[in-house]
Amino acid sequence: MFRHPPTDKKKKLVLNIKYCYRITNHLFAGLTDNRCYLENGASSESLFVSEDLSVGANVGQVRVHGDPRPGGNIVLRLKEVDSPVSIAPGSKNLTLRRPLDKEGVDGPSSVFVNLVCERAHTVDPGFVIPVSIRVTDANDNAPVFINAPYVLNISEVTVVGTRVLQGVHAVDNDQQGPFSSVRYSVLPGPNADFFEFENELEGTLVLRRPLDYESLKSFDVHIRAQDHGEPPKKTDTVLTVYVIDADDQNPKFVDDRYTATVPELPRKGTALVVHPRDIRAFDQDLGINAPIYYTFNGVGADYTLFKLHRLTAMVTLARDLAGNDVRHPATLVIRATQQDNPDRYALATLTVSRKSEEGIRFLHSVFYVKASEALPAGAAVATLANNRPGEPLRYFVSDQNVLKTFALNSKGELSLKKRLDYEDRPEYFFKVFATDGITNDSSAVNVTVEDVNEWEPRFRYPHYEFFVNGQPDELIGRIEAADGDRNDVLTLTLTGTNASAFFITPTGELRLREASKGYTGVANLVVTATDSGTPPKTTTVPVTVHFPGSGDSASITSGGRGGPARRCSWPVSEPSCWKRNPRRELAGALQEKPRVAADSKRNPVFGERLRTPTASAMGGVPSDAKSRIPSPKVHPAPQPPQTLWPSSASSVRVKKLSWGDDKTDSDSTENMNNVDTSPKGIGQ
């Protein structure tokens, strides 16, 4: 084929096509060059960094397209020269140059920089990428107490539970949140139990136990403030407590008892020599130490013989003493009072005696003593005072048997060797002799035993059961009760479902309120015996009353007005009684000969043997179980008068009961002249 050489027109067209192709390639390359663009298509970069990030650590990476490494296609640099962060050469990482601080104290709380990205091998201007660095909080601050350490002045009479300090406060400089929330506590240690925080989130201290200035005047308590970080940061401080003395103590004498002797020349104004030392009292409130003044705390003839100095407590004679003055030792009560508070005082005694050639002499011809039967063995009962106080003497008694119960030492102190028993012996009367080896004297002692309610009432039987036939116009039965305490009076009351149909007399007679009503069925009652002691004691016993007919086994019903009342006694022998009781089983029981229970025991109260497991309408029906066990006492259970319930064993001792018995086992002061006055020696 023959080719024509190209013409100029064709050359120009080819050149135009090549130029368009170049332009197109150039435009297309410009549109697809994403260097310096952020990968997520955003116009700025945001980074988060903790404030505790160390200097030199990596803050984060800028997600920009391109390769900043040597020979790469982009170049990265920061526009700000003094920024806290820098761009690592040849990388996209920002590095921390200075510390950061969320609170803005030790460093910036946020950073904003401009990152310049330039495309390599082009003359295009660089792109500016805004980078925002947000600083997050870290638990880098410990709580700081305000106005610490603390001092507390508190009175010793402050009531437990009082808010004593509300100024404890600590601040955490971390941002609002758990890192800055503070809780308070008292650290374990000596005296830490005096205080506690009312709420651990609030610095209010509360007193937990009483303070005492006399035992603890000041002390330190350590307290802690701690945040809620993980791990938490804490700060400790000291609370110094000064206890302020309050007037909560009475004055106190150096000695409780003082003695003195009247001088041989008892002239007015003469000072007495006091033993064991001069009279003195002091305020037990050591911090207050109030001044004390002294006065006599009594009136009478003995007080008129002496004068007491108000400030020094010196005792002098108020006048010249005659020969018959202070024949017996005079006991003066001295009162020491605070000058600033008359309600605070103390008492002591001063015994003033006189030298005399007289022999020993009791201060009373008869000593009347009351002693409760509840006193334990060894308890002091009385002191048989004489004109030789404190001087050891020898004592004797008229009745040697008294020494089985009482002891008498060389100081005339009467005490118990064993416990007293009012029911056994309510009164003791004997004579006491005292001698100093040269002279002697005697006096009578009358000890009255005070009764204590130590026995509960007792019933003769543990269960009463009565069978009634016909219309009972007389009593249904008798409930017998007694009490081991001599003077107690028993009161009987009636309770139960049908108790309103019955009444019980003070003597224990059980009767119907309306005998004319025809009752059928079974009545279950409870009788309560209450004694008159203090405090009163009670005992109950069940009572069952059987009426003719087939009524309810748990209650009775009335059938209107019936015929004349009739009561059958044990054993039932009259045919009319058999006809009135339709129950064959009851008839068989009535025909049966009474049997003595094989395991019948002597009643612990009444001392009798139970003769039969059943009883007539006038008696009680004891249960087959063992008798009621008495309460554990030191002495045996009380017994009834022999005239009411004679014991089958003559050896059983009968206790006198509180009703109807005669006083036969006590002595009386009317028999003073009948007491044997011959001295019996005391075993010291």
Side-chain angles (χ1 to χ4, degrees), residues 303-325:
Y303 288 92
T304 61
L305 302 177
F306 306 95
K307 291 181 63 177
L308 178 65
H309 195 280
R310 181 179 176 86
L311 299 179
T312 63
M314 179 182 291
V315 181
T316 58
L317 297 179
R319 60 177 176 83
D320 295 344
L321 299 186
N324 59 350
D325 291 330

Side-chain angles (χ1 to χ4, degrees), residues 181-474:
S181 297
V182 180
R183 55 184 177 185
Y184 305 91
S185 61
V186 177
L187 297 179
N191 306 311
D193 56 344
F194 278 104
F195 303 101
E196 66 179 353
F197 281 98
E198 186 177 35
N199 188 314
E200 68 172 6
L201 299 179
E202 183 184 12
T204 300
L205 276 177
V206 176
L207 184 65
R208 289 183 58 190
R209 66 184 185 95
L211 299 166
D212 183 18
Y213 175 84
E214 284 69 36
S215 61
L216 188 62
K217 298 178 177 59
S218 64
F219 57 92
D220 291 337
V221 175
H222 294 269
I223 57 179
R224 170 171 291 176
Q226 178 176 295
D227 61 26
H228 288 75
E230 291 294 341
K233 289 186 177 293
K234 58 184 180 295
T235 303
D236 298 339
T237 189
V238 177
L239 169 66
T240 302
V241 181
Y242 294 100
V243 182
I244 301 174
D245 193 17
D247 194 6
D248 63 337
Q249 300 286 332
N250 289 320
K252 180 179 177 60
F253 280 94
V254 177
D255 299 282
D256 294 331
R257 296 180 180 87
Y258 298 90
T259 59
T261 303
V262 175
E264 295 183 359
L265 296 177
R267 297 290 183 259
K268 179 180 179 180
T270 303
L272 301 182
V273 179
V274 180
H275 299 282
R277 59 184 62 83
D278 292 341
I279 299 172
R280 189 178 73 85
F282 60 92
D283 185 4
Q284 295 188 85
D285 296 308
L286 303 179
I288 298 176
N289 196 20
I292 305 295
Y293 67 87
Y294 304 89
T295 56
F296 283 129
N297 194 62
V299 294
D302 291 339
Y303 288 92
T304 61
L305 302 177
F306 306 95
K307 291 181 63 177
L308 178 65
H309 195 280
R310 181 179 176 86
L311 299 179
T312 63
M314 179 182 291
V315 181
T316 58
L317 297 179
R319 60 177 176 83
D320 295 344
L321 299 186
N324 59 350
D325 291 330
V326 198
R327 296 186 60 187
H328 302 289
T331 301
L332 310 176
V333 180
I334 299 176
R335 177 180 179 135
T337 308
Q338 289 184 199
Q339 291 188 3
D340 60 346
N341 188 353
D343 293 331
R344 295 293 181 188
Y345 64 90
L347 301 176
T349 59
L350 170 64
T351 302
V352 182
S353 58
R354 192 167 187 174
K355 291 183 179 180
S356 176
E357 300 299 329
E358 295 180 336
I360 186 173
R361 184 168 56 257
F362 283 103
L363 299 187
H364 302 285
S365 59
V366 180
F367 290 90
Y368 294 96
V369 180
K370 291 184 178 181
S372 172
E373 64 175 337
L375 289 175
V381 175
T383 300
L384 308 180
N386 53 58
N387 61 343
R388 305 282 184 87
E391 183 177 338
L393 303 173
R394 296 187 63 190
Y395 291 88
F396 304 87
V397 295
S398 60
D399 185 1
Q400 196 71 19
N401 291 327
V402 172
L403 299 180
K404 297 179 181 179
T405 305
F406 299 96
L408 187 61
N409 62 18
S410 60
K411 295 183 180 180
E413 297 174 344
L414 188 66
S415 59
L416 294 177
K417 281 187 176 179
K418 64 178 183 178
R419 294 182 61 136
L420 301 173
D421 185 2
Y422 177 85
E423 287 72 32
D424 182 43
R425 186 170 179 179
E427 189 178 42
Y428 294 84
F429 185 80
F430 53 93
K431 278 196 172 183
V432 175
F433 304 87
T435 179
D436 58 0
I438 301 176
T439 62
N440 59 73
D441 192 19
S442 65
S443 178
V445 179
N446 184 19
V447 180
T448 302
V449 181
E450 295 180 330
D451 191 17
V452 175
N453 189 24
E454 56 184 351
W455 294 96
E456 69 272 9
R458 294 288 190 273
F459 288 95
R460 180 173 183 177
Y461 296 103
H463 178 208
Y464 285 83
E465 188 170 12
F466 303 104
F467 298 91
V468 179
N469 293 321
Q471 300 296 328
D473 54 355
E474 298 179 4

